Amino acid sequence: MAHRLDPLLKPRSIAVLGASERPGSVGRRSMENLVRGGFPGRLYPVNPSRESVLGIACHPSLEALPETVEHVIFAVGEARLEAALEQAIAHGARAATIVSALVLEDDAEPYLAERVAARVRAAGLLVCGPNAMGFYNFRDRVWACGFDTREHRETGNVTLISHSGSGMCGIVDCDERIDFNLAVSTGQELSVTLDQYLDFALDLPETRVVGLFLETARNPRGLIRALEKAERRGVPVVALKVGRSELAARLTVSHSGAIAGRDGAFDALFDRYGVQRVDDMDELASALILLAQPHRIGAGALVALHDSGGERELLIDLAERAGVPLAEIGDATRERLDELLDPGLVAVNPLDGWSRGGPGSDRNMAECFATLLADPNAALGAVVHDRAPGGRIYSSYLEYLQRGHEATGKPAALVANRQGTGSDPLVVDSTRAGFPVLDGVRSFLVAVRCAFGHRDHRARPRLAPERIDRKRGARWRARLGAGETLDEFEAGALLSEFGVPVNPARIVEDARAGLSAARALGYPVALKTATAGIAHKARRDGVRLNLTDEQALLAGYRELAARLGPRALIAPMVEPGLELMLGMVHDEQFGPLVVLGFGGTDLEQIRDVGYALPPFDAATARRLLERLNGRARLDPPARGPAPAIEDFCHAAARFSQFAAALGSTIAEADVNPVIVTPGGCVAVDALIVGRQSISDANHRRQAG
């Protein structure tokens, strides 16, 4: 079935505009790659100064070609590109690859990049780039890249799509263990965005795993649709998202806005669709290698065989840091290992199985590995050994893998403690045969975490949240959309409509009303300023807690009223407990984003939170809490009952309904803290900021 990107990624004809014989030039490399790759269509070099390029007859212009080509590769400088683009459009080309960065010296507004973008959009031209290195469609033999590369096979099962040209070539060109079917350097994405390439790759039947090198999402809705498609088809997606430390360039009012930044939305997006996140290119390459192997990863955890006690301990430390579970082997496995091991070696996982060496040692190690992998709790096995001299591997190590897989059918990998070589024929052949050879324990463990993460996401029940009732909270919609900020009292009223448990409170304007409210609510009470414009009351010393009688209340009220104004909020004191938080920010790309985690007055310093796209269920909330750095605080105390974490998770799910229903009108929302006790949970403070007020604040800041 034809895909919209066929004219770009698998055209029937290509013209290389600016084709050249000059060594190292983009015009020559583009021609060389198309010839090397065996392009099956019609190839036309275009250059009025040459009769032929690489022995192929050259044409003086696009108009002189014997047919209308589908795809034009621009190998001309910026000064000629604009005119060349007009010629390609007039010629009737449907697609183009633009390597140029579109920057001219002494240019004038609108600049070249803007002019080209407008012309491309008007013509409906499919463009890879600009500021890109092109692409390789290995399966269809279209090597549309103007730079040198290694030899490749046509039978790959890995797709790599990268905003960075070096992010593509740094993996595609440098590791023979990975066989790609498609690799794209998307560049600035004038007309074709990363999500569209992903959609194309997911239609290729051999695509087993996709890697993304992401700088941003230029088409957020399209990216969501493409990730939904990958999820439906069971194709794992591994993402390296750069720029995660940059905070949003806007004024924030709430704690949630201050801690979410720009990257929280990608965390939430990846969690929703099971995208596995990595931090660098070594991790990305390792994950692609491991996830491309053909053997199914079942239930259970990691087992590892070592020939060093010290390196065994290193793996244990790194696995804990990476969040990779190590299998707890059973009694039968330990008994069998005891029979195989030399005296002094302990039958545990990870296993140091090497002692005296000698004849039969390799056979014994292979049997130890097969025994480990056969344990019911083992999902994946690793032989973790150092490389041989010259960075190569011993064939006996591969025999361990094969013996383990033959005995169990489970996947197995050889892991070097340090970098070796990805060009060793034995390394490449073993990896292609389904027994990956990887370098570096840390990056391998990240790859394992990705593999387990994809497995667990696939096994998780599909999210089936309650229907979003967009009529609920309707009376607040206009006010929030107009930019109003709801203080604690009004925010509490709105959240209560969505079933979020909120501490009851009353607003008073004088001391007499305060006394009446306290008697109705019951002592002890909390007293807080409710003067408009004071978003964070504690920072203004506007909170008095645990007022036990009328005398204490009157004294506190009079002092606050004199300093901050007469309007105040009175609420009953809540039993101390675990302090968590709920929040919402409106992400510019993906819309409402829920923040949840540990709360309290030091929230912004701790920043121990997770992110989710609303709406979600209580199970999602619990899973996000379990990922927090301080998750041990969720456990039952040594004495006494445990806090009702499940109640908080259900409250978080209801809060997500609020975020989904009203999120388009809200810039930021804080519910902090939510006090969780053995008896339940209750929100004791809240703030909701309308979207327009954030916009106005930004305008004021820019004007200042």
Side-chain angles (χ1 to χ4, degrees), residues 162-213:
S162 175
H163 281 142
S164 164
S166 295
M168 177 191 79
C169 293
I171 294 178
V172 170
D173 295 335
C174 301
D175 205 320
E176 296 179 35
R177 288 170 291 189
I178 309 176
D179 287 322
F180 293 93
N181 60 353
L182 176 68
V184 184
S185 163
T186 70
Q188 295 173 357
E189 301 181 336
L190 280 192
S191 66
V192 180
T193 49
L194 179 142
D195 55 279
Q196 295 172 299
Y197 294 112
L198 176 55
D199 183 83
F200 179 91
L202 292 171
D203 281 351
L204 305 180
E206 70 278 358
T207 301
R208 187 173 181 87
V209 58
V210 177
L212 305 178
F213 190 119

Side-chain angles (χ1 to χ4, degrees), residues 534-547:
I534 300 180
H536 299 296
K537 298 174 280 293
R539 294 178 183 174
R540 297 285 297 274
D541 191 26
V543 179
R544 299 291 179 268
L545 301 177
N546 205 33
L547 304 177

Side-chain angles (χ1 to χ4, degrees), residues 83-231:
L85 176 64
E86 290 297 339
Q87 294 169 16
I89 292 171
H91 174 70
R94 299 174 60 190
T97 295
I98 302 177
V99 176
S100 165
L102 302 184
V103 177
L104 280 173
E105 290 186 21
D106 302 322
D107 201 4
E109 294 185 2
Y111 296 113
L112 176 61
E114 299 169 38
R115 301 194 299 270
V116 168
R119 195 68 187 94
V120 164
R121 285 193 292 268
L125 195 67
L126 298 171
V127 173
C128 177
N131 197 23
M133 298 185 79
F135 65 89
Y136 297 101
N137 180 354
F138 295 114
R139 75 181 304 273
D140 295 306
R141 294 180 288 163
V142 186
W143 294 22
C145 182
F147 303 87
D148 60 335
T149 188
R150 63 178 173 89
E151 293 299 322
H152 297 274
R153 302 200 308 172
E154 297 175 20
T155 55
N157 60 3
V158 178
T159 291
L160 177 62
I161 308 168
S162 175
H163 281 142
S164 164
S166 295
M168 177 191 79
C169 293
I171 294 178
V172 170
D173 295 335
C174 301
D175 205 320
E176 296 179 35
R177 288 170 291 189
I178 309 176
D179 287 322
F180 293 93
N181 60 353
L182 176 68
V184 184
S185 163
T186 70
Q188 295 173 357
E189 301 181 336
L190 280 192
S191 66
V192 180
T193 49
L194 179 142
D195 55 279
Q196 295 172 299
Y197 294 112
L198 176 55
D199 183 83
F200 179 91
L202 292 171
D203 281 351
L204 305 180
E206 70 278 358
T207 301
R208 187 173 181 87
V209 58
V210 177
L212 305 178
F213 190 119
L214 276 167
E215 294 173 353
T216 186
R218 293 189 176 93
N219 181 16
R221 296 298 113 187
L223 181 57
I224 288 174
R225 288 192 296 271
L227 293 179
E228 288 174 340
K229 184 174 181 176
E231 185 183 41

